[in-house]
Amino acid sequence: IEGMSGTSFVRDITEDDEGNIYVSSDAGVYRLNPAEYVKQFWEQCATLDAINNNAYALRFSAGTLTVSGENGLYETTNDGLTWTKVNTEIITPIHSIVTSDIATFLVSSNAIWRSISGTYLPIVEFPFECRKAELFAGNLYVTTDRGLYRSSTISDIYSDEHVRFVVAFNQINRNGKIPAVFCLRTLASR
């Protein structure tokens, strides 16, 4: 499929309610309308930031596409024709956006931020790299370059000021080393 020239790599992918597929990349956000039967191609969305168009995490919910750029979060409700900067205290790339009925969690390269009332506050900082997160069975899981971590059972991810995280699966320890984990998907039935 054509249309992504100048893009070296894709960081995230999501789909909207109409079936459009969005990807974030080192060259911005691209949109593919799979219903286009004549010729499918990736269409580059409007620039996020005049200085840097790097795009990281994507999240589509309730008609709004949210994307992380180098300098914070941006939202669009018109297929990426225009972007509005979301007023957050975080001006670093976000690698994962996780939402629940209660809170939104943002994962930067070494921290997790939580918002319940619109203000993002850090709930944990790691001494190593983080990438993706998922909510599963009441726990928050995060991939890191030191393995998979989950929120501790003694922590409440929605109310504790600081949330404790522990290694999720010690079984992946091989010869005293825990490998990096880069991606994560959970299934509700498992």
Side-chain angles (χ1 to χ4, degrees):
I1 299 176
E2 298 177 9
M4 291 183 68
S5 60
T7 299
S8 298
F9 49 86
V10 170
R11 292 187 173 107
D12 207 356
I13 185 168
T14 195
E15 182 179 1
D16 68 17
D17 292 335
E18 284 82 43
N20 294 307
I21 299 169
Y22 295 87
V23 295
S24 61
S25 75
D26 60 321
V29 178
Y30 288 83
R31 178 179 151 288
L32 175 72
N33 179 353
E36 180 64 50
Y37 294 109
V38 177
K39 184 174 182 180
Q40 291 183 343
F41 64 94
W42 290 100
E43 178 184 1
Q44 188 169 22
C45 296
T47 302
L48 297 174
D49 186 311
I51 298 171
N52 191 320
N53 203 31
N54 264 321
Y56 296 87
L58 291 169
R59 178 79 176 170
F60 183 83
S61 180
T64 300
L65 177 65
T66 304
V67 63
S68 168
E70 287 285 338
N71 297 307
L73 297 175
Y74 298 83
E75 292 183 343
T76 183
T77 56
N78 59 12
D79 297 331
L81 294 175
T82 60
W83 296 96
T84 302
K85 188 165 184 181
V86 179
N87 187 14
T88 68
E89 299 75 29
I90 305 168
I91 52 170
T92 187
I94 299 300
H95 300 290
S96 190
I97 304 169
V98 179
T99 58
S100 74
D101 293 339
I102 300 171
T104 298
F105 299 93
L106 305 177
V107 179
S108 67
S109 61
N110 69 341
I112 299 177
W113 305 71
R114 176 187 62 214
S115 172
I116 293 176
S117 61
T119 300
Y120 286 94
L121 299 171
I123 60 170
V124 65
E125 288 190 27
F126 293 99
F128 40 78
E129 291 286 319
C130 303
R131 284 292 175 253
K132 296 292 179 186
E134 289 280 342
L135 284 169
F136 182 72
N139 289 303
L140 185 60
Y141 287 81
V142 62
T143 65
T144 76
D145 64 354
R146 302 276 174 89
L148 181 64
Y149 279 71
R150 71 168 170 77
S151 54
S152 170
T153 56
I154 63 170
S155 291
D156 184 327
I157 61 173
Y158 297 109
S159 63
D160 288 356
E161 185 176 336
H162 298 284
V163 177
R164 186 170 179 252
F165 280 76
V166 296
V167 174
F169 299 108
N170 280 320
Q171 298 89 330
I172 63 173
N173 184 334
R174 296 291 180 246
N175 299 322
K177 294 185 179 181
I178 297 177
V181 178
F182 297 106
C183 61
L184 176 65
R185 287 288 181 233
T186 56
L187 301 173
S189 62
R190 302 202 178 175

